[in-house]
Amino acid sequence: MRLSVPDHVLRAFGQHGSAVPLSGGQGTSWRAGDIVLKPVPVQGQETWSWLHHRLAPSLPRETALRIALPVAGSDGSLLVDGWGANRWMPGSGAGLSLRRRAEAARAFHRATGAAPADLPTRQDPWARADRQAWGQEDLPPEAPGALAELLDQLPVTEQPLQIVHGDLAGNIIDHPVHGLGVLDLSLYRRPVAWAEAVLALDVMGWETGHGGAAVQVGASAEMLGRALAFRLCAELNLGARRLSSPLMDLIPVVRRLADLRGR
């Protein structure tokens, strides 16, 4: 059963009346007037505070990109009984081209290029998957041998680290007047090329089924391999008994790219 927004939470964020459930994401977001509310789990509350107090002040004022950031309630609180809010941004991601999404990704990462490096450490399935993909934690015991072999074959190149969005494919919207916007900030401190590879991988795995997306964003075999490990490990960390075949099918695709580009 979907958890609805309590009346006192709505009032705390300056809203009256009822909230309307929103589709997409994990199905926990509600719109009330000009804000979107969602429950913030205990393990994510430090990051929620970081977004408001550390990331937001570091963003350039002149950027045209809209970014969904936490807003405070009437008494200055960022969380009310575990609920957080950000401004409602009009727009849609339906039918958005990879070119337009890549444009938003570049704009977002330009904006976060000077963000503080002290992003809180998380222990959720996605944060653990990120570390597993980069060899900072062991792969899940259920990880297929083909994935371990792929990671062993990938090169390790030194690239600058910064705050990046690790779930862009379904979290970019566009509007004819307001332009591009980025939602649901799932942040990591990794190379920009890795975040763009995750975008390409998600498009390849769930939308196009071929490697054209990787070519369009210029993703390297190394970054695609890390992105693929990230997605597969997240599924396993979430308790999947069988890995998604669209992503498993991409293991040989990434290996072929590595061979074609000399790894």
Side-chain angles (χ1 to χ4, degrees):
M1 183 176 179
R2 189 170 191 171
L3 187 66
S4 59
V5 187
D7 289 342
H8 74 279
V9 172
L10 289 171
R11 291 194 298 271
F13 285 102
Q15 303 300 318
H16 302 278
S18 59
V20 178
L22 297 174
S23 60
Q26 298 181 52
T28 59
S29 296
W30 297 71
R31 181 185 176 186
D34 64 347
I35 65 170
V36 173
L37 299 112
K38 66 178 180 180
V40 180
V42 172
Q43 63 268 30
Q45 292 180 2
E46 185 181 2
T47 299
W48 192 256
S49 177
W50 185 91
L51 292 173
H52 181 78
H53 293 292
R54 300 286 286 154
L55 178 64
S58 75
L59 298 176
R61 294 182 179 274
E62 65 273 12
T63 180
L65 182 72
R66 298 173 293 154
I67 300 175
L69 292 164
V71 296
S74 54
D75 67 351
S77 300
L78 287 178
L79 293 165
V80 179
D81 280 353
W83 288 84
N86 55 261
R87 293 293 174 199
W88 164 256
M89 301 195 309
S92 173
L96 202 58
S97 69
L98 176 61
R99 179 194 63 78
R100 192 68 170 148
R101 282 183 280 186
E103 183 181 337
R106 289 191 295 270
F108 181 85
H109 294 132
R110 284 195 299 270
T112 59
D118 58 345
L119 184 68
T121 300
R122 307 184 342 248
Q123 299 299 332
D124 57 80
W126 297 274
R128 290 174 49 228
D130 165 59
R131 294 190 291 270
Q132 289 162 344
W134 287 88
Q136 294 168 336
E137 284 189 17
D138 291 339
L139 292 176
E142 305 85 357
L147 179 60
E149 292 172 5
L150 172 64
L151 289 175
D152 286 343
Q153 293 172 1
L154 293 177
V156 178
T157 59
E158 294 293 331
Q159 295 197 30
L161 304 181
Q162 70 159 73
I163 300 302
V164 299
H165 197 310
D167 192 22
L168 283 165
N171 287 306
I172 296 172
I173 59 173
D174 203 0
H175 188 276
V177 175
H178 301 288
L180 290 163
V182 174
L183 312 171
D184 195 12
L185 304 187
S186 180
L187 302 184
Y188 305 85
R189 190 166 182 265
R190 293 297 179 198
V192 168
W194 172 81
E196 295 184 354
V198 175
L199 168 60
L201 179 87
D202 288 347
V203 172
M204 290 163 61
W206 303 111
E207 298 179 30
T208 67
H210 58 73
V215 174
Q216 287 188 57
V217 301
S220 69
E222 178 193 2
M223 293 302 159
L224 279 174
R226 304 285 175 199
L228 182 55
F230 166 60
R231 284 296 188 222
L232 291 173
C233 288
E235 287 195 18
L236 292 171
N237 293 340
L238 287 163
R241 295 184 178 180
R242 294 185 60 187
L243 290 169
S244 301
S245 57
L247 295 181
M248 286 295 293
D249 291 345
L250 290 175
I251 290 180
V253 173
V254 175
R255 296 186 74 163
R256 285 197 298 271
L257 286 172
D259 291 338
L260 288 172
R261 298 180 183 183
R263 298 182 185 158

